[in-house]
Amino acid sequence: MSSVIRIDAVTKRFGSVAAVDGVSLDIFENEFIALLGASGCGKTTLLRIVAGLEHPDTGRIFIDGKDMTGEAPYARPVNMMFQSYALFPHMTVAGNVAFGLKQDGLSGAALEERVKDALVAVEMAGLGERKPHQLSGGQRQRVALARCLAKRPRVLLLDEPMAALDKHLRERTQLELMALRARLGITFVVVTHDQSEAMAMADRVAVMDGGRILQVDTPRNIYERPANARVAGFFGDINLWSAVVGDRPGTVRVPALGFEMPTRGLLPPSGTAVSVAVRPERIAMSRAPLSGAEHAVTGTVQETVYLGTASTCFVKTQAGGTVRVLAPHADGASAFNKGETVHLSWPSTAVTVLDA
Amino acid sequence: MSRPYFTETWRRRMVLALPWLWAALFFLLPLAFVVKISLAEARMSVPPYTDLLARVDGAVVGLNATLANYQLLFSDALYVKAYLSSLKIALVATAFTLLLGYPMAYAIARAPAARRTLLLVLVMLPFWTSFLVRIYAWMGLLRPTGIINTALQTLGLIDEPLAMLNTPGAVYLGIVYAYLPFMVLPLYARLEKLDPALLEAAADLGARPWRAFREVTLPLSLPGVLAGCLLVFIPVTGEFVIPDLLGGPDTLMIGKVLWNEFFSNRDWPMSAAVTVVLLIVLVAPIMLFQALQSRTEIRS
């Protein structure tokens, strides 16, 4: 597989702060990649560097194998959808879409055809004569998307595309973006702070923090095998405890839970400080003591948060630690109440041991 | 629940009454006086014009209005020429002010936020000094024995002093100098509000800087251009201090004519007629401006 975009050891500083700190990343043909991170992690700066709106202090940007580091934005075969959409307020919808094509010297029937195609692709065909201020937020987003698509870019860069949409519209737009990408065969790079959005849409996710990429992998691999505690904490809900590798082989001692936990896989030598992670949905919770479980913890329900399909329960263990448990409502069992004594257990395959 | 002391409608009317009262007292009433005087005849008396109402033994018997002043205004080539010349000077001066003011406003709007205030203060700094003093200062600079000529002669660049004062060029220079802030400020206000993401989007879509300026920045700043041009054009049309002090005997402007009619000839009715026509000439562009603005409909 050949990379469409190669980001090679790129660093960008604003004053003394490195917004992007020595990032390297290959983005492949037809891929949908998400740059995920909290605000200020450098993901938008990295996207703007690819677009040519910022210039890196060191490092290089290759597009289709060509060094584009010093090229202006208008010379790059990539297009960006801005978080604010940045529609031209004095132009109609059709005028906005035509703008980029006119820069390529298109005119007349050919121009009209391309504008129409782009508007049809985002289901805005009838609204070409409207002005941006006459559109809803969702419609504006479609225009911004059509304006990029009309240029038939090699790579489409999307900066927080869903940030201004409500939850319902967001899910629909996610599906539409994925369908569009399957149909057009364009490489998508999307910047988002929403891990569920990244998980739902992307083939690969690059988790960023402090200007660096912590892990790049498929959503499933990142969720199930996070590279470190920071990734684990950022990507979905998780229980993270500090622990020490136990004396018995294959176990770690978790002070917050007050017992030694068997794990799978290789462990560092005994006595090493590590972090232990367990996803809330892997933990079984019951009122009766569990027989035959690999290991169990007893605790008191401190708080429950009703989520519809499930409840999140925070259970305080006798050793003083708190365990987050996702208790499904599917089996029709009555929901757990505050103050109840419960027994928790999980298989050793649910335990991920990470560097401290 | 207690009833409000005044209903919503009445409160709104009371709030609106204030600007209306202001306009009536300080604009409409004086204007009515001016119109009245313009319909009278000049007379050696106090006040120096005839009563509009014909009276016999204190009782009103008829109207004494005459359009003679207006007839003279349009038949005498001097007045027509003065109006046309004023409009021409105002138009050219406005164009120069725009050409100079736009890049200034653009540069200030693009300057780092911390520097902008300083630059704006510098633009407005001349207002701290009296207008008249500043124009006198230009006389001092431009006169044959002034600083510029003396300096050039001392350096041996010229043998004879250049005739700079009392020329049309000096009038334009003075006007552009005095009215530049009125152009820069509305333009700056407009350009500063321009979302930088729009220019980034233009570049991203393939527009080179000049085309991005022409197709995005310029059209979006047009309301500022229009506001600035009117703020310069309207007062310059009636300007009389600058042409009087910096212009020559052949610089004809309606403001100067008005001054002469009023203070030299003591012809109040004629100067009132000149004023009324000038007002109409100036109100026309404002109406045009408002018609244009409601048509462009740029709302964010």
PDB file of all heavy atoms in Angstrom, chain A residues 178-206:
ATOM      1  N   MET A 178     -19.479   8.142   5.793  1.00  0.00           N
ATOM      2  CA  MET A 178     -18.889   6.842   5.495  1.00  0.00           C
ATOM      3  C   MET A 178     -19.356   6.333   4.128  1.00  0.00           C
ATOM      4  O   MET A 178     -18.572   5.783   3.351  1.00  0.00           O
ATOM      5  CB  MET A 178     -19.253   5.837   6.599  1.00  0.00           C
ATOM      6  CG  MET A 178     -18.522   6.124   7.897  1.00  0.00           C
ATOM      7  SD  MET A 178     -19.358   5.431   9.315  1.00  0.00           S
ATOM      8  CE  MET A 178     -18.882   3.710   9.146  1.00  0.00           C
ATOM      9  N   ALA A 179     -20.650   6.570   3.827  1.00  0.00           N
ATOM     10  CA  ALA A 179     -21.183   6.139   2.535  1.00  0.00           C
ATOM     11  C   ALA A 179     -20.522   6.913   1.395  1.00  0.00           C
ATOM     12  O   ALA A 179     -20.150   6.351   0.361  1.00  0.00           O
ATOM     13  CB  ALA A 179     -22.694   6.352   2.510  1.00  0.00           C
ATOM     14  N   LEU A 180     -20.355   8.213   1.623  1.00  0.00           N
ATOM     15  CA  LEU A 180     -19.756   9.096   0.628  1.00  0.00           C
ATOM     16  C   LEU A 180     -18.335   8.653   0.319  1.00  0.00           C
ATOM     17  O   LEU A 180     -17.898   8.597  -0.831  1.00  0.00           O
ATOM     18  CB  LEU A 180     -19.735  10.510   1.210  1.00  0.00           C
ATOM     19  CG  LEU A 180     -19.842  11.677   0.267  1.00  0.00           C
ATOM     20  CD1 LEU A 180     -21.090  11.552  -0.578  1.00  0.00           C
ATOM     21  CD2 LEU A 180     -19.884  12.971   1.063  1.00  0.00           C
ATOM     22  N   ARG A 181     -17.638   8.308   1.372  1.00  0.00           N
ATOM     23  CA  ARG A 181     -16.248   7.916   1.216  1.00  0.00           C
ATOM     24  C   ARG A 181     -16.157   6.571   0.470  1.00  0.00           C
ATOM     25  O   ARG A 181     -15.300   6.399  -0.401  1.00  0.00           O
ATOM     26  CB  ARG A 181     -15.635   7.844   2.621  1.00  0.00           C
ATOM     27  CG  ARG A 181     -14.269   7.293   2.701  1.00  0.00           C
ATOM     28  CD  ARG A 181     -14.391   5.836   3.008  1.00  0.00           C
ATOM     29  NE  ARG A 181     -13.122   5.242   3.256  1.00  0.00           N
ATOM     30  CZ  ARG A 181     -12.933   4.324   4.186  1.00  0.00           C
ATOM     31  NH1 ARG A 181     -13.926   3.977   4.971  1.00  0.00           N
ATOM     32  NH2 ARG A 181     -11.765   3.786   4.308  1.00  0.00           N
ATOM     33  N   ALA A 182     -17.099   5.658   0.751  1.00  0.00           N
ATOM     34  CA  ALA A 182     -17.101   4.380   0.054  1.00  0.00           C
ATOM     35  C   ALA A 182     -17.371   4.596  -1.438  1.00  0.00           C
ATOM     36  O   ALA A 182     -16.809   3.925  -2.290  1.00  0.00           O
ATOM     37  CB  ALA A 182     -18.164   3.465   0.654  1.00  0.00           C
ATOM     38  N   ARG A 183     -18.239   5.578  -1.744  1.00  0.00           N
ATOM     39  CA  ARG A 183     -18.638   5.810  -3.127  1.00  0.00           C
ATOM     40  C   ARG A 183     -17.559   6.567  -3.908  1.00  0.00           C
ATOM     41  O   ARG A 183     -17.313   6.276  -5.068  1.00  0.00           O
ATOM     42  CB  ARG A 183     -19.939   6.632  -3.116  1.00  0.00           C
ATOM     43  CG  ARG A 183     -20.611   6.788  -4.435  1.00  0.00           C
ATOM     44  CD  ARG A 183     -22.133   6.868  -4.270  1.00  0.00           C
ATOM     45  NE  ARG A 183     -22.530   7.752  -3.188  1.00  0.00           N
ATOM     46  CZ  ARG A 183     -22.768   9.059  -3.358  1.00  0.00           C
ATOM     47  NH1 ARG A 183     -22.652   9.594  -4.533  1.00  0.00           N
ATOM     48  NH2 ARG A 183     -23.122   9.804  -2.334  1.00  0.00           N
ATOM     49  N   LEU A 184     -16.928   7.558  -3.263  1.00  0.00           N
ATOM     50  CA  LEU A 184     -16.008   8.435  -3.996  1.00  0.00           C
ATOM     51  C   LEU A 184     -14.572   7.950  -3.988  1.00  0.00           C
ATOM     52  O   LEU A 184     -13.778   8.359  -4.819  1.00  0.00           O
ATOM     53  CB  LEU A 184     -16.065   9.852  -3.417  1.00  0.00           C
ATOM     54  CG  LEU A 184     -17.437  10.521  -3.477  1.00  0.00           C
ATOM     55  CD1 LEU A 184     -17.385  11.856  -2.751  1.00  0.00           C
ATOM     56  CD2 LEU A 184     -17.881  10.721  -4.917  1.00  0.00           C
ATOM     57  N   GLY A 185     -14.239   7.101  -3.022  1.00  0.00           N
ATOM     58  CA  GLY A 185     -12.873   6.626  -2.951  1.00  0.00           C
ATOM     59  C   GLY A 185     -11.868   7.722  -2.651  1.00  0.00           C
ATOM     60  O   GLY A 185     -10.767   7.741  -3.189  1.00  0.00           O
ATOM     61  N   ILE A 186     -12.253   8.674  -1.803  1.00  0.00           N
ATOM     62  CA  ILE A 186     -11.327   9.736  -1.393  1.00  0.00           C
ATOM     63  C   ILE A 186     -10.781   9.364  -0.016  1.00  0.00           C
ATOM     64  O   ILE A 186     -11.477   8.738   0.782  1.00  0.00           O
ATOM     65  CB  ILE A 186     -12.057  11.094  -1.301  1.00  0.00           C
ATOM     66  CG1 ILE A 186     -12.584  11.502  -2.675  1.00  0.00           C
ATOM     67  CG2 ILE A 186     -11.149  12.172  -0.749  1.00  0.00           C
ATOM     68  CD1 ILE A 186     -13.390  12.779  -2.651  1.00  0.00           C
ATOM     69  N   THR A 187      -9.539   9.731   0.230  1.00  0.00           N
ATOM     70  CA  THR A 187      -8.958   9.522   1.552  1.00  0.00           C
ATOM     71  C   THR A 187      -9.479  10.597   2.500  1.00  0.00           C
ATOM     72  O   THR A 187      -9.503  11.766   2.143  1.00  0.00           O
ATOM     73  CB  THR A 187      -7.427   9.587   1.465  1.00  0.00           C
ATOM     74  OG1 THR A 187      -7.006   8.670   0.458  1.00  0.00           O
ATOM     75  CG2 THR A 187      -6.785   9.242   2.782  1.00  0.00           C
ATOM     76  N   PHE A 188      -9.935  10.174   3.667  1.00  0.00           N
ATOM     77  CA  PHE A 188     -10.478  11.119   4.648  1.00  0.00           C
ATOM     78  C   PHE A 188      -9.552  11.210   5.851  1.00  0.00           C
ATOM     79  O   PHE A 188      -9.118  10.188   6.383  1.00  0.00           O
ATOM     80  CB  PHE A 188     -11.840  10.633   5.173  1.00  0.00           C
ATOM     81  CG  PHE A 188     -13.012  11.000   4.299  1.00  0.00           C
ATOM     82  CD1 PHE A 188     -13.067  10.614   2.978  1.00  0.00           C
ATOM     83  CD2 PHE A 188     -14.082  11.722   4.820  1.00  0.00           C
ATOM     84  CE1 PHE A 188     -14.156  10.932   2.182  1.00  0.00           C
ATOM     85  CE2 PHE A 188     -15.178  12.049   4.031  1.00  0.00           C
ATOM     86  CZ  PHE A 188     -15.214  11.658   2.710  1.00  0.00           C
ATOM     87  N   VAL A 189      -9.257  12.435   6.273  1.00  0.00           N
ATOM     88  CA  VAL A 189      -8.575  12.638   7.550  1.00  0.00           C
ATOM     89  C   VAL A 189      -9.490  13.507   8.386  1.00  0.00           C
ATOM     90  O   VAL A 189      -9.813  14.632   8.005  1.00  0.00           O
ATOM     91  CB  VAL A 189      -7.214  13.344   7.387  1.00  0.00           C
ATOM     92  CG1 VAL A 189      -6.524  13.479   8.736  1.00  0.00           C
ATOM     93  CG2 VAL A 189      -6.328  12.592   6.410  1.00  0.00           C
ATOM     94  N   VAL A 190      -9.958  12.985   9.507  1.00  0.00           N
ATOM     95  CA  VAL A 190     -10.892  13.742  10.326  1.00  0.00           C
ATOM     96  C   VAL A 190     -10.285  13.994  11.700  1.00  0.00           C
ATOM     97  O   VAL A 190      -9.665  13.111  12.295  1.00  0.00           O
ATOM     98  CB  VAL A 190     -12.268  13.035  10.410  1.00  0.00           C
ATOM     99  CG1 VAL A 190     -12.151  11.660  11.009  1.00  0.00           C
ATOM    100  CG2 VAL A 190     -13.268  13.855  11.198  1.00  0.00           C
ATOM    101  N   VAL A 191     -10.414  15.240  12.145  1.00  0.00           N
ATOM    102  CA  VAL A 191      -9.943  15.611  13.476  1.00  0.00           C
ATOM    103  C   VAL A 191     -11.140  15.623  14.405  1.00  0.00           C
ATOM    104  O   VAL A 191     -12.177  16.185  14.062  1.00  0.00           O
ATOM    105  CB  VAL A 191      -9.294  17.020  13.433  1.00  0.00           C
ATOM    106  CG1 VAL A 191      -9.364  17.686  14.798  1.00  0.00           C
ATOM    107  CG2 VAL A 191      -7.852  16.914  12.996  1.00  0.00           C
ATOM    108  N   THR A 192     -11.025  14.959  15.547  1.00  0.00           N
ATOM    109  CA  THR A 192     -12.154  14.948  16.480  1.00  0.00           C
ATOM    110  C   THR A 192     -11.667  14.778  17.911  1.00  0.00           C
ATOM    111  O   THR A 192     -10.586  14.265  18.162  1.00  0.00           O
ATOM    112  CB  THR A 192     -13.146  13.824  16.114  1.00  0.00           C
ATOM    113  OG1 THR A 192     -14.226  13.858  17.041  1.00  0.00           O
ATOM    114  CG2 THR A 192     -12.498  12.458  16.142  1.00  0.00           C
ATOM    115  N   HIS A 193     -12.491  15.263  18.846  1.00  0.00           N
ATOM    116  CA  HIS A 193     -12.180  15.051  20.262  1.00  0.00           C
ATOM    117  C   HIS A 193     -13.104  13.976  20.825  1.00  0.00           C
ATOM    118  O   HIS A 193     -13.050  13.650  21.990  1.00  0.00           O
ATOM    119  CB  HIS A 193     -12.375  16.354  21.032  1.00  0.00           C
ATOM    120  CG  HIS A 193     -13.811  16.795  21.053  1.00  0.00           C
ATOM    121  ND1 HIS A 193     -14.360  17.522  20.019  1.00  0.00           N
ATOM    122  CD2 HIS A 193     -14.798  16.577  21.928  1.00  0.00           C
ATOM    123  CE1 HIS A 193     -15.637  17.724  20.290  1.00  0.00           C
ATOM    124  NE2 HIS A 193     -15.938  17.175  21.434  1.00  0.00           N
ATOM    125  N   ASP A 194     -13.994  13.442  19.944  1.00  0.00           N
ATOM    126  CA  ASP A 194     -15.044  12.529  20.389  1.00  0.00           C
ATOM    127  C   ASP A 194     -14.641  11.099  20.035  1.00  0.00           C
ATOM    128  O   ASP A 194     -14.652  10.705  18.871  1.00  0.00           O
ATOM    129  CB  ASP A 194     -16.346  12.940  19.686  1.00  0.00           C
ATOM    130  CG  ASP A 194     -17.515  12.072  20.108  1.00  0.00           C
ATOM    131  OD1 ASP A 194     -17.282  10.985  20.652  1.00  0.00           O
ATOM    132  OD2 ASP A 194     -18.659  12.487  19.870  1.00  0.00           O
ATOM    133  N   GLN A 195     -14.264  10.317  21.053  1.00  0.00           N
ATOM    134  CA  GLN A 195     -13.738   8.975  20.774  1.00  0.00           C
ATOM    135  C   GLN A 195     -14.782   8.061  20.148  1.00  0.00           C
ATOM    136  O   GLN A 195     -14.447   7.203  19.341  1.00  0.00           O
ATOM    137  CB  GLN A 195     -13.121   8.364  22.030  1.00  0.00           C
ATOM    138  CG  GLN A 195     -13.933   8.474  23.291  1.00  0.00           C
ATOM    139  CD  GLN A 195     -14.757   7.241  23.558  1.00  0.00           C
ATOM    140  OE1 GLN A 195     -14.622   6.243  22.883  1.00  0.00           O
ATOM    141  NE2 GLN A 195     -15.636   7.331  24.540  1.00  0.00           N
ATOM    142  N   SER A 196     -16.071   8.267  20.484  1.00  0.00           N
ATOM    143  CA  SER A 196     -17.085   7.392  19.894  1.00  0.00           C
ATOM    144  C   SER A 196     -17.239   7.705  18.407  1.00  0.00           C
ATOM    145  O   SER A 196     -17.458   6.802  17.585  1.00  0.00           O
ATOM    146  CB  SER A 196     -18.422   7.542  20.635  1.00  0.00           C
ATOM    147  OG  SER A 196     -18.912   8.848  20.476  1.00  0.00           O
ATOM    148  N   GLU A 197     -17.085   8.985  18.054  1.00  0.00           N
ATOM    149  CA  GLU A 197     -17.131   9.379  16.648  1.00  0.00           C
ATOM    150  C   GLU A 197     -15.962   8.747  15.886  1.00  0.00           C
ATOM    151  O   GLU A 197     -16.133   8.190  14.797  1.00  0.00           O
ATOM    152  CB  GLU A 197     -17.055  10.899  16.591  1.00  0.00           C
ATOM    153  CG  GLU A 197     -17.390  11.521  15.270  1.00  0.00           C
ATOM    154  CD  GLU A 197     -17.374  13.030  15.406  1.00  0.00           C
ATOM    155  OE1 GLU A 197     -18.228  13.563  16.137  1.00  0.00           O
ATOM    156  OE2 GLU A 197     -16.502  13.667  14.810  1.00  0.00           O
ATOM    157  N   ALA A 198     -14.791   8.833  16.481  1.00  0.00           N
ATOM    158  CA  ALA A 198     -13.598   8.259  15.842  1.00  0.00           C
ATOM    159  C   ALA A 198     -13.754   6.753  15.675  1.00  0.00           C
ATOM    160  O   ALA A 198     -13.464   6.195  14.613  1.00  0.00           O
ATOM    161  CB  ALA A 198     -12.361   8.578  16.687  1.00  0.00           C
ATOM    162  N   MET A 199     -14.266   6.104  16.718  1.00  0.00           N
ATOM    163  CA  MET A 199     -14.441   4.653  16.677  1.00  0.00           C
ATOM    164  C   MET A 199     -15.443   4.253  15.611  1.00  0.00           C
ATOM    165  O   MET A 199     -15.271   3.266  14.902  1.00  0.00           O
ATOM    166  CB  MET A 199     -14.917   4.144  18.042  1.00  0.00           C
ATOM    167  CG  MET A 199     -13.803   3.651  18.915  1.00  0.00           C
ATOM    168  SD  MET A 199     -14.433   2.650  20.279  1.00  0.00           S
ATOM    169  CE  MET A 199     -14.959   3.905  21.411  1.00  0.00           C
ATOM    170  N   ALA A 200     -16.539   5.026  15.509  1.00  0.00           N
ATOM    171  CA  ALA A 200     -17.610   4.667  14.584  1.00  0.00           C
ATOM    172  C   ALA A 200     -17.167   4.808  13.131  1.00  0.00           C
ATOM    173  O   ALA A 200     -17.533   4.005  12.279  1.00  0.00           O
ATOM    174  CB  ALA A 200     -18.832   5.551  14.854  1.00  0.00           C
ATOM    175  N   MET A 201     -16.372   5.839  12.824  1.00  0.00           N
ATOM    176  CA  MET A 201     -16.114   6.168  11.422  1.00  0.00           C
ATOM    177  C   MET A 201     -14.791   5.665  10.877  1.00  0.00           C
ATOM    178  O   MET A 201     -14.694   5.318   9.709  1.00  0.00           O
ATOM    179  CB  MET A 201     -16.172   7.691  11.224  1.00  0.00           C
ATOM    180  CG  MET A 201     -17.558   8.283  11.358  1.00  0.00           C
ATOM    181  SD  MET A 201     -17.608   9.952  10.694  1.00  0.00           S
ATOM    182  CE  MET A 201     -16.543  10.816  11.804  1.00  0.00           C
ATOM    183  N   ALA A 202     -13.764   5.662  11.713  1.00  0.00           N
ATOM    184  CA  ALA A 202     -12.419   5.560  11.166  1.00  0.00           C
ATOM    185  C   ALA A 202     -11.945   4.118  10.980  1.00  0.00           C
ATOM    186  O   ALA A 202     -12.323   3.218  11.733  1.00  0.00           O
ATOM    187  CB  ALA A 202     -11.443   6.300  12.072  1.00  0.00           C
ATOM    188  N   ASP A 203     -11.122   3.892   9.953  1.00  0.00           N
ATOM    189  CA  ASP A 203     -10.415   2.630   9.800  1.00  0.00           C
ATOM    190  C   ASP A 203      -9.288   2.558  10.809  1.00  0.00           C
ATOM    191  O   ASP A 203      -9.021   1.522  11.397  1.00  0.00           O
ATOM    192  CB  ASP A 203      -9.813   2.515   8.398  1.00  0.00           C
ATOM    193  CG  ASP A 203     -10.868   2.639   7.335  1.00  0.00           C
ATOM    194  OD1 ASP A 203     -11.958   2.084   7.534  1.00  0.00           O
ATOM    195  OD2 ASP A 203     -10.608   3.297   6.315  1.00  0.00           O
ATOM    196  N   ARG A 204      -8.603   3.689  10.948  1.00  0.00           N
ATOM    197  CA  ARG A 204      -7.511   3.777  11.913  1.00  0.00           C
ATOM    198  C   ARG A 204      -7.669   5.052  12.710  1.00  0.00           C
ATOM    199  O   ARG A 204      -8.160   6.058  12.207  1.00  0.00           O
ATOM    200  CB  ARG A 204      -6.158   3.790  11.200  1.00  0.00           C
ATOM    201  CG  ARG A 204      -5.708   2.419  10.733  1.00  0.00           C
ATOM    202  CD  ARG A 204      -4.228   2.410  10.439  1.00  0.00           C
ATOM    203  NE  ARG A 204      -3.845   3.501   9.528  1.00  0.00           N
ATOM    204  CZ  ARG A 204      -2.620   4.005   9.473  1.00  0.00           C
ATOM    205  NH1 ARG A 204      -1.675   3.546  10.251  1.00  0.00           N
ATOM    206  NH2 ARG A 204      -2.351   4.957   8.604  1.00  0.00           N
ATOM    207  N   VAL A 205      -7.225   4.992  13.953  1.00  0.00           N
ATOM    208  CA  VAL A 205      -7.296   6.155  14.821  1.00  0.00           C
ATOM    209  C   VAL A 205      -5.881   6.469  15.312  1.00  0.00           C
ATOM    210  O   VAL A 205      -5.149   5.555  15.696  1.00  0.00           O
ATOM    211  CB  VAL A 205      -8.219   5.894  16.030  1.00  0.00           C
ATOM    212  CG1 VAL A 205      -8.222   7.097  16.979  1.00  0.00           C
ATOM    213  CG2 VAL A 205      -9.637   5.581  15.568  1.00  0.00           C
ATOM    214  N   ALA A 206      -5.518   7.750  15.253  1.00  0.00           N
ATOM    215  CA  ALA A 206      -4.253   8.176  15.847  1.00  0.00           C
ATOM    216  C   ALA A 206      -4.602   8.966  17.102  1.00  0.00           C
ATOM    217  O   ALA A 206      -5.199  10.035  17.016  1.00  0.00           O
ATOM    218  CB  ALA A 206      -3.467   9.054  14.865  1.00  0.00           C
TER     219      ALA A 206
END
